[in-house]
Amino acid sequence: MERLLSSHDKFDLQQNYRRYLKFRDQREDANRAMQIAKASRVWVAGIVTLLFALASDFFLGASAALFGLYFYRLMMARMKTSQAEEGCEDTDRWFASKGLKFEGRILYFRDDKMLEHPLDPFDDGIYK
């Protein structure tokens, strides 16, 4: 027996599907930005300039600026990651309230244990 979704939820389902995919893409981009920020070697330059800071206030300021840049980039990447994860969780909860779940980017009914019947929210055949 094939399950059908309410036609009253069609618009919301399609919009939330698009939102979920947008948040998922943002989360992937933010995770990449976080990895790049962590891999940055600006802190090494900060340590080197800190060695020269014993002789000059300029190098002390440059060292502080380099460390500030490094931690600022980490903080901003972490904020973007958490915003995208929060959006994904919100839309995921909405789909769970409708009896649906995501596996990657594909939508299924929650009781489809074998993941045999993917749903396309833009197919009119799944609405009653």
Side-chain angles (χ1 to χ4, degrees):
M1 181 178 148
E2 192 163 327
R3 292 183 54 191
L4 298 175
L5 298 169
S6 172
S7 62
H8 298 292
D9 292 334
K10 180 179 178 181
F11 178 75
D12 291 335
L13 184 74
Q14 291 173 349
Q15 290 298 88
N16 282 323
Y17 182 77
R18 287 185 187 111
R19 285 182 60 222
Y20 179 82
L21 293 180
K22 179 185 76 159
F23 285 131
R24 188 171 167 92
D25 290 340
Q26 285 178 355
R27 184 175 64 187
E28 290 170 2
D29 292 342
N31 282 336
R32 259 188 253 107
M34 176 68 95
Q35 290 173 349
I36 290 170
K38 284 181 180 178
S40 175
R41 299 294 180 231
V42 173
W43 63 271
V44 174
I47 290 175
V48 170
T49 55
L50 191 59
L51 293 174
F52 291 109
L54 301 173
S56 169
D57 289 339
F58 171 77
F59 286 111
L60 184 63
S63 176
L66 289 171
F67 282 121
L69 173 67
Y70 176 72
F71 288 115
Y72 173 77
R73 289 177 60 195
L74 280 177
M75 182 184 65
M76 293 305 292
R78 181 65 194 141
M79 284 176 48
K80 287 180 183 177
T81 301
S82 65
Q83 286 174 346
E85 286 175 357
E86 187 176 316
C88 275
E89 289 172 3
D90 283 346
T91 54
D92 215 11
R93 278 192 296 274
W94 186 88
F95 280 106
S97 72
K98 300 296 180 188
L100 303 169
K101 69 177 178 178
F102 273 97
E103 282 297 320
R105 300 173 79 85
I106 302 171
L107 188 62
Y108 295 96
F109 283 111
R110 187 180 324 151
D111 58 357
D112 190 1
K113 301 292 183 208
M114 300 297 287
L115 305 178
E116 295 174 333
H117 306 289
L119 297 176
D120 179 15
F122 302 103
D123 179 19
D124 290 333
I126 65 169
Y127 302 102
K128 57 180 169 179

